[in-house]
Amino acid sequence: MAILLGVDTGGTYTDAVLMRDEDAVIAKAKALTTRQDLAIGVGAAVRAVLDSSGIAASEIALASLSTTLATNALVEGQGARVALIYIGFAEKDLAAQGLRDALGDDPVFLAQGGHTHAGSEAAALDVVAIADWAAAQHVSAFAIAAQFGTRNPAHEMAARDAVRAATGRPVTCSHELSAKLGGPKRALTAVLNARLIGLTHRLIGRAEGALRELGIDAPLMVVRGDGALMSSEQARERPIETILSGPAASIVGARWLTGADQALVSDIGGTTTDIALLRDGRPVIDPEGARVGPHRTMVEAVAMRTHGLGGDSEVHVSDQGLEASVTLGPKRVLPIALIAGDAPEMVHRVLDEQLNRAVPGEYDARFVRRVPGQDDVGLPERAQAVLARVSETPKPVSEVLSSRLEAQALRLLVSRGLVQMAGPTPTDALHVLGRFAHWDAEASDKAMRLLARKRGGSGNRHAETAEAMAQQIVDALTQATGTALLEAAFAADGLDEVAALARHPLLFRGLRETPGLVRLTAALGVPVVGLGASARVSYPAVGAWLNAETLLPDHGDVANAIGAVTGRIRMMREGMVTSPSEGRFRAYIGEAPQVFPDAHTAMNALEAVLTAAARADAEDAGAESVHLHITRDIKQAEIEAREMFVEARIVVEATGRPRIAAHDVATAL
């Protein structure tokens, strides 16, 4: 029997699980994720699971990694500075699909070139101008998108070669990520991929290094956003495909753990809550591409609703209006209970000083520390000055900022992943209420007291005690999670305006069964599977709020790692055949379209190319015994009593189990 290792590197915890041939969990372990050096957390979790199981490192036949780090980076607006080379598009096209918002201040070069919908060149490409511009940019990576680049990728490929020669930086071409039309959306996907390359290289490289140091010489797989597996090398090239990797693995793990056919699966982590639907025992795939935060990409992924809501969500206490209110997220901060472990004397001294002041301060219970090894290319002067005052040892924010103008610079440093903020979180609230006891509860208590003494518009304190403040935060987490689940349910039912429906006063009356002349009752119609480290302490209240059955399976705290082990390799290639005129059938193959005299010949030629490519992708990913599934979606129109070919879409899917090295199998047997 083969011994399989699953690892999930989340925003807060790194989980490790050992399984025997996907049949049973042998052991599991957790360690804190160490963003400054991921190898520390990975190594600690894997070492712990090996120690608790008695399994030798040499017995591991396969390792598989899922991660929420790419998802978290996009939700939090983090990532490296990149440049977009936009070929054949105009300035106004940057406004489509949220592309301009995603770019922010990152540079863009609008280049002449591109192709027509038929694949012929629309304008000549000036590769010299592109190379000269690229060489002058201070960025970490480049994204290239050309008009109709999926019909003919020649200009994207020429620009890619020129940029690589001029800069030596990583380059992402949009046609490599999707075969679909829609230039701005494809460009957005390429930009996000380029932004994630450095982060993913560090994650995979350090994870592989940690495994080798422990003596594990097994192939490493990475979970994609649709729950399938890819090789670590493929993940390095296409990191955008790992967005929602952790959540997708959790859905696969939830199915394995519960056997549920119909359920809403909700995975609460440190940064996000990820919600997906199991239907007929399979995760539902989003036909429009993965959405993460405000971004809709062309990445095929589980239909997941990701909310900036987790155990480490930043707590906001409103000072507007007469009634005090608490909101959470979407940004993540380190819990005070956790940061106090890094510098206990300093953190407690600062918290005590802030409590002894007569007037609450703007940055009470707020700390910041530097994340080493991150790319600081292209920082404005003010941000550089603020960064110079931050060290790897936590400091109070009030000591780092010399003026209010520098607050924006600090936010930029956080968004670039160069520094981490610490502040009060739901995790701190759970420590104060005695439901969580992992770190420094005394520091959490002081942070809650600092929050409680802030005053709203009425002049009253937000709470009289730390416990009352903590309960407000936990109640806000319960309601926000329940509302997110209602939005997911309404969306799955095909309804519009799901945000308004999930917050409608009549729905709340029905959930609470409020007495009145009109009697309403409401409940979620499927069970909720609660996953994540804090699910057991937070989701019973969520289920009660929704009047729903709540499933809290054993090992639900490591469902992501279990899903990573039980996944399959699945590679897909697709292409189109069109008929621009009678008797001419154009198949979009390789670098340029090819014309055939009849539809049958064109489709056969395209299918052969796609089949070879899908099989090669699966084998490169490490699949054995590859199975192929081919579909042809042919559209025809009746014109003057004749059936006329319009177009055909051919999809080839190659699947297989990850290959296990022969010596590993022999050892396990």
Side-chain angles (χ1 to χ4, degrees):
M1 293 185 182
I3 304 299
L4 311 178
L5 170 67
V7 179
D8 174 66
T9 305
T12 303
Y13 287 110
T14 294
D15 300 334
V17 63
L18 288 176
M19 297 187 68
R20 182 178 289 108
D21 262 354
E22 304 179 11
D23 292 330
V25 174
I26 300 172
K28 64 180 180 180
K30 285 181 176 289
L32 285 172
T33 294
T34 47
R35 287 197 179 192
Q36 72 277 14
D37 186 351
L38 293 167
I40 297 173
V42 170
V46 175
R47 188 178 298 108
V49 80
L50 289 172
D51 290 344
S52 65
S53 67
I55 299 291
S58 59
E59 293 185 66
I60 305 297
L62 180 75
S64 188
L65 174 71
S66 73
T67 178
T68 60
L69 286 185
T71 310
N72 294 347
L74 296 184
V75 169
E76 297 175 11
Q78 296 184 1
R81 179 176 170 83
V82 301
L84 171 64
I85 297 171
Y86 212 22
I87 302 171
F89 292 95
E91 178 78 23
K92 63 180 178 61
D93 295 316
L94 291 170
Q97 300 294 329
L99 180 55
R100 189 186 299 277
D101 292 337
L103 283 163
D105 295 329
D106 290 356
V108 180
F109 183 60
L110 298 174
Q112 293 293 318
H115 292 79
T116 69
H117 71 281
S120 57
E121 187 176 79
L125 182 71
D126 188 344
V127 293
V128 174
I130 289 173
D132 290 345
W133 180 85
Q137 306 308 308
H138 299 289
V139 296
S140 297
F142 291 84
I144 299 174
Q147 193 167 43
F148 289 105
T150 55
R151 293 291 170 89
N152 191 332
H155 283 186
E156 288 194 6
M157 296 168 70
R160 175 196 64 198
D161 295 343
V163 171
R164 282 179 176 168
T167 69
R169 294 288 187 176
V171 182
T172 296
C173 291
S174 74
H175 78 273
E176 297 170 338
L177 301 174
S178 176
K180 295 182 174 67
L181 297 177
K185 192 173 180 180
R186 236 180 28 255
L188 170 67
T189 305
V191 165
L192 298 179
N193 188 80
R195 188 161 284 157
L196 292 171
I197 284 175
L199 181 150
T200 306
H201 267 259
R202 286 191 294 273
L203 166 62
I204 293 174
R206 297 301 294 157
E208 288 179 330
L211 296 180
R212 299 296 177 264
E213 288 175 8
L214 291 169
I216 298 173
D217 187 22
L220 178 65
M221 309 299 296
V222 180
V223 182
R224 292 198 322 232
D226 59 358
L229 303 179
M230 64 197 305
S231 70
S232 59
E233 191 57 39
Q234 289 170 331
R236 283 185 171 95
E237 296 173 0
R238 304 193 299 274
I240 190 67
E241 294 184 11
T242 70
I243 62 171
L244 303 179
S245 160
S250 76
I251 306 306
V252 177
R255 166 65 176 171
W256 188 90
L257 288 167
T258 66
D261 289 325
Q262 313 284 339
L264 278 173
V265 180
S266 185
D267 185 0
I268 181 170
T271 307
T272 60
T273 291
D274 306 304
I275 301 171
L277 177 64
L278 271 175
R279 179 178 288 153
D280 299 325
R282 296 172 60 89
V284 174
I285 300 297
D286 191 336
E288 296 183 20
R291 177 189 289 277
V292 182
H295 307 302
R296 173 71 78 176
T297 71
M298 280 189 167
V299 177
E300 183 174 275
V302 169
M304 184 80 63
R305 299 181 72 88
T306 298
H307 300 263
L309 182 69
D312 299 346
S313 289
E314 184 176 15
V315 174
H316 306 276
V317 178
S318 174
D319 58 0
Q320 304 296 318
L322 296 179
E323 295 295 327
S325 63
V326 173
T327 57
L328 304 175
K331 300 291 186 182
R332 172 186 183 263
V333 295
L334 295 171
I336 294 298
L338 176 59
I339 201 75
D342 291 345
E345 291 184 7
M346 183 278 295
V347 170
H348 279 279
R349 174 180 57 78
V350 170
L351 293 174
D352 288 336
E353 290 174 354
Q354 292 171 347
L355 283 167
N356 288 330
R357 291 174 186 155
V359 179
E362 182 178 1
Y363 299 114
D364 282 355
R366 301 279 173 169
F367 298 85
V368 62
R369 72 179 182 190
R370 184 162 185 171
V371 180
Q374 303 299 303
D375 190 346
D376 60 359
V377 173
L379 282 180
E381 184 176 342
R382 180 171 285 149
Q384 292 178 15
V386 173
L387 183 62
R389 298 185 211 123
V390 183
S391 67
E392 294 179 31
T393 301
K395 286 186 176 181
V397 170
S398 56
E399 292 183 10
V400 171
L401 300 182
S402 60
S403 70
R404 297 183 67 89
L405 292 175
E406 291 184 340
Q408 180 62 37
L410 181 59
R411 285 191 288 271
L412 173 63
L413 295 176
V414 173
S415 71
R416 290 280 298 273
L418 295 167
V419 303
Q420 288 180 307
M421 293 286 291
T425 66
T427 296
D428 289 301
L430 290 171
H431 273 80
V432 170
L433 296 175
R435 301 180 196 173
F436 221 58
H438 289 245
W439 305 309
D440 191 336
E442 184 182 357
S444 295
D445 182 83
K446 292 176 181 179
M448 289 297 114
R449 287 158 56 194
L450 284 166
L451 275 185
R453 71 182 198 148
K454 291 180 179 289
R455 299 181 184 274
S458 65
N460 295 325
R461 291 166 55 103
H462 281 284
E464 294 302 319
T465 65
E467 289 77 10
M469 188 72 246
Q471 190 60 55
Q472 286 186 33
I473 293 170
V474 170
D475 289 345
L477 179 64
T478 298
Q479 183 165 337
T481 303
T483 302
L485 283 161
L486 289 170
E487 287 186 19
F490 284 132
D493 284 340
L495 300 175
D496 297 324
E497 305 294 337
V498 296
L501 286 173
R503 293 165 177 79
H504 199 286
L506 288 178
L507 178 60
F508 285 171
R509 285 177 62 89
L511 290 170
R512 303 281 66 81
E513 297 184 354
T514 306
L517 295 179
V518 177
R519 183 178 180 181
L520 300 173
T521 59
L524 199 63
V526 295
V528 174
V529 180
L531 305 176
S534 63
R536 285 193 173 274
V537 297
S538 57
Y539 271 66
V542 173
W545 194 81
L546 292 169
N547 300 325
E549 179 186 4
T550 306
L551 304 178
L552 301 171
D554 291 338
H555 309 306
D557 56 331
V558 292
N560 295 36
I562 290 172
V565 171
T566 55
R568 293 288 184 272
I569 292 170
R570 183 175 71 89
M571 295 292 166
M572 192 170 67
R573 289 290 186 120
E574 63 178 275
M576 297 291 296
V577 174
T578 63
S579 180
S581 60
E582 189 169 359
R584 288 170 56 84
F585 299 87
R586 182 177 283 119
Y588 297 93
I589 299 173
E591 298 183 19
Q594 298 180 24
V595 177
F596 296 87
D598 62 84
H600 184 72
T601 303
M603 288 189 290
N604 285 346
L606 177 59
E607 184 177 301
V609 171
L610 296 176
T611 298
R615 181 185 291 277
D617 288 344
E619 290 175 347
D620 288 345
E624 62 180 1
S625 302
V626 174
H627 299 278
L628 297 171
H629 179 69
I630 301 170
T631 58
R632 290 184 177 186
D633 181 13
I634 302 173
K635 294 183 179 179
Q636 295 180 311
E638 185 175 321
I639 301 176
E640 295 185 355
R642 293 176 57 198
E643 287 288 337
M644 301 292 292
F645 178 93
V646 178
E647 66 178 26
R649 176 173 177 262
I650 300 176
V651 178
V652 179
E653 182 179 87
T655 59
R657 289 189 61 174
R659 186 183 306 110
I660 297 174
H663 72 276
D664 289 326
V665 175
T667 301
L669 290 174

